[in-house]
Amino acid sequence: MNDEILYDLKSISKSFVKGKEQVTVFDGLNMSIKQGDFLAIMGPSGSGKTTLLNMLGGVDQPTGGEVWFDGNRVDTLSENGLAQWRANNIGFIFQFYNLMPMLNAARNIELPLLLTNLSKAQRKKSVATALELVELSDRAKHMPNELSGGQQQRVAIARAIISDPKLLLCDEPTGDLDRHTADEILQMLQLLNEKFGKTIVMVTHDPRAAEFAKRTLHLDKGEFVEKDLAA
Amino acid sequence: MTSIFSQIWAVVAMNIRSLPRRLWMSLAAVFAVTVVVAVLLSFLSMARGFSQTLEGAGSESTAIITRSGSRSELNSSMSNETVKILSTAPGIARDANDNPIYSAELYVIVDGIKRTSKTEANIPMRGISPVGFDLRENVEIIEGRLFTTGRNEIIVGAGVLREFEGFEIGKELRFGNTEWTVVGVFSTGGSAFESELWTDARTVQTQFRRGSSYQTMRVLLETPGDVSGMVELVENDPRLNLDVETEAAFFAEQGEALSYIVIVGWVISFLMALGALAGALNTMYTSVSSRAAEIATLRALGFSNTSAFVGTLVESVLLSLIGGAIGAFLSYIFMDGISTSTLGASFTQVVFTFSLTSDLFINGVWLALIIGVVGGFFPAWQAARLPVMVAFRQGN
Ligand SMILES: Nc1ncnc2c1ncn2[C@@H]1O[C@H](COP(=O)(O)OP(=O)(O)OP(=O)(O)O)[C@@H](O)[C@H]1O
Ligand SMILES: [Mg+2]
């Protein structure tokens, strides 16, 4: 594991304008994420976890500050530039899996590859490898509604890693799963981190989920607090 | 760049696969466009058929003479005197014996029973002189023979035979106080004359007590299109109060009065199209909101907003074009080639055939396309602007 910095947020501010009211979520937040890190972000509801994750994923733009990824500034990219950047660098894992209900597991996993120039045969091969990795080779042709929650999340993980992104962003990836299934998913994330060198940022409410990460940051009112030391 | 097409294609394919979730709504949108296109094409094919009938009727080499201001053959009248004077006018073609070629005609209205509605309708019965038959282009006896002068014999237009009961060859008919026998069927290649019965002018004068008067006169022109000789004669003779026109000009004028069919057709279709457009918009907004999580997820995965836009637009255009195609197909099945008759300018039935030609189809396709594009554009815009954050908010 090298100590190269993958992600650098410099003095980020973020506020939402709702009618006349302005909600400031972040005001001068600094954060850096090293290559190969597995970071859990915890914090009370409304502390800004999802907002932070959205900015990390280029899904939402900060109001101020700079976002540097792998040595490039990304907060200045256009909307389609960001989409392209996401396709190349980010894998998302959602709480509710967000699979396309009309596509089978294999086709769901293949989706990000449609943004590449890979041939059909190459795509098929990659999908098979990813299915194997998440231990769902026998479910390739199943539709999402024929899969359990855990299986659906594994399909989503396969989709997130299929185009080999550097960073995986997970928002409550186990929030909708039972303890046992959650552990399986978390172990899978751990494997991706340790064996495949994926950098992972995971938002969670669950302290047990956070234990799977290498380190945990606590967010409170838009600032990181040293909860570990206090505890 | 190659990937933009595979992206768009993937999104379009997904939209189409998810159509069954919005089946009834989508079918309603399709149906609305079907109705609009079918109505438009019906009007247009009716107008086209009507004008083809009238245009087909008129020839440049024949002139028609009516009483000034009568506007139609039925309202016209002229004495035997007038006919005699006019027949000496310059510009009229002459036969081998140097006699002017003309047909003085008259016109009575008889009743027939329509096959479809079983109701009575007017049919013009035209008395012509023997040469009158040759004064019409494309005319031919397709069955039986020509009537004999001085006998109560008639020949029937193919349109009359099609539309009315009891006009088959050999049938005896009673008009006025006399019995008439059908001896032949004539065709004029679909023009207005096909909706008439023809017989000998003298016989009509006698049987319908018209004395020696006629209503109109048809002459063969020496030079096609040139009626100046007759016009001059009419202008210089105070006894003559007549209009001289080529037959083509005469029928074109009659047809013009009916161009309102086209306007009415477009106005009705346009109003209905607004309804279909509202339906399309509604359907597509529903489509976008029901696919919001999917659109946002695809965007999170790196799909461009162009693909979300095009995907939605294509869905809308596709639904509309399907509707348009069904509408065109239905109007083709039910409209093209069917004959109907309408009250012509002279209160007689003009039998004509709906004619759905390919240029009319294109009007229908355009209308469907416009409904699809406009009805899809704004929802597609909304799809493209959908915040990607939506993907994190709710599940499927
Ligand atoms: N789109 C938005 N418009 C206005 N305010 C928003 C928006 N998104 C988030 N906020 C506000 O920003 C703050 C942080 O929200 P965020 O969703 O990041 O919290 P969170 O830590 O993820 O909460 P939870 O644990 O409940 O998911 C909240 O006060 C929220 O109301
Ligand atoms: Mg949240």
Side-chain angles (χ1 to χ4, degrees), chain A residues 16 18 23 25 43-52 172 205, chain B residues 389 393:
Chain A
F16 293 101
K18 235 183 195 169
V23 183
V25 186
S45 193
S47 56
K49 304 183 295 295
T50 298
T51 306
L52 178 60
E172 305 273 6
H205 271 111
Chain B
M389 283 180 283
R393 259 185 238 140

Side-chain angles (χ1 to χ4, degrees), chain B residues 144-384:
Chain B
R145 58 171 174 83
L146 195 59
F147 55 84
T148 319
T149 323
R151 289 229 201 120
N152 289 359
E153 292 179 350
I154 52 171
I155 57 175
V156 303
V160 174
L161 187 63
R162 233 178 9 243
E163 288 284 308
F164 291 87
E165 293 180 350
F167 284 91
E168 291 76 17
I169 288 184
K171 284 272 164 75
E172 301 270 322
L173 298 153
R174 187 168 189 85
F175 301 134
N177 300 321
T178 25
E179 296 279 342
W180 300 77
T181 313
V182 180
V183 297
V185 179
F186 67 93
S187 158
T188 58
S191 75
F193 295 124
E194 270 190 17
S195 4
E196 297 180 348
L197 308 174
W198 287 355
T199 184
D200 176 38
R202 290 266 161 71
T203 315
V204 174
Q205 283 176 337
T206 323
Q207 300 296 356
F208 290 86
R209 285 192 285 274
R210 295 296 175 96
S212 64
S213 77
Y214 295 94
Q215 274 165 296
T216 58
M217 191 176 162
R218 269 184 173 69
V219 308
L220 187 65
L221 295 171
E222 224 166 38
T223 320
D226 181 14
V227 292
S228 57
M230 274 175 287
V231 170
E232 208 172 307
L233 179 86
V234 167
E235 275 173 1
N236 295 331
D237 190 333
R239 290 170 300 173
L240 300 179
N241 194 16
L242 301 168
D243 283 337
V244 184
E245 279 176 299
T246 64
E247 201 185 54
F250 180 80
F251 276 108
E253 232 168 66
Q254 307 247 305
E256 260 167 39
L258 290 146
S259 62
Y260 74 89
I261 295 178
V262 175
I263 296 168
V264 168
W266 273 108
V267 168
I268 291 180
S269 307
F270 179 75
L271 293 177
M272 290 177 62
L274 290 182
L277 184 62
L281 279 168
N282 191 22
T283 302
M284 293 316 297
Y285 274 123
T286 308
S287 166
V288 170
S289 69
S290 83
R291 289 183 294 118
E294 286 156 33
I295 294 168
T297 303
L298 287 173
R299 299 271 288 114
L301 296 182
F303 280 67
S304 66
N305 50 12
T306 315
S307 66
F309 181 85
V310 176
T312 307
L313 196 63
V314 167
E315 176 184 338
S316 170
V317 168
L318 197 73
L319 291 178
S320 250
L321 285 182
I322 290 173
I326 298 174
F329 181 72
L330 289 182
S331 46
Y332 184 72
I333 297 268
F334 291 110
M335 296 293 170
D336 187 55
I338 66 158
S339 297
T340 186
S341 50
T342 186
L343 228 41
S346 33
F347 302 103
T348 54
Q349 298 284 312
V350 173
V351 177
F352 66 97
T353 303
F354 279 66
S355 171
L356 203 47
T357 50
S358 56
D359 60 316
L360 297 185
F361 269 122
I362 287 171
N363 281 305
V365 172
W366 272 111
L367 188 62
L369 198 63
I370 289 168
I371 294 172
V373 169
V374 177
F377 184 86
F378 300 97
W381 189 256
Q382 193 185 51

Side-chain angles (χ1 to χ4, degrees), chain B residues 40-74:
Chain B
L40 177 71
L41 291 183
S42 303
F43 271 102
L44 293 184
S45 65
M46 181 160 77
R48 175 62 54 88
F50 203 87
S51 67
Q52 274 175 357
T53 301
L54 290 176
E55 273 164 26
S59 154
E60 280 289 333
S61 50
T62 318
I64 177 163
I65 298 139
T66 50
R67 193 187 64 201
S68 186
S70 58
R71 307 292 300 163
S72 76
E73 296 189 71
L74 192 69

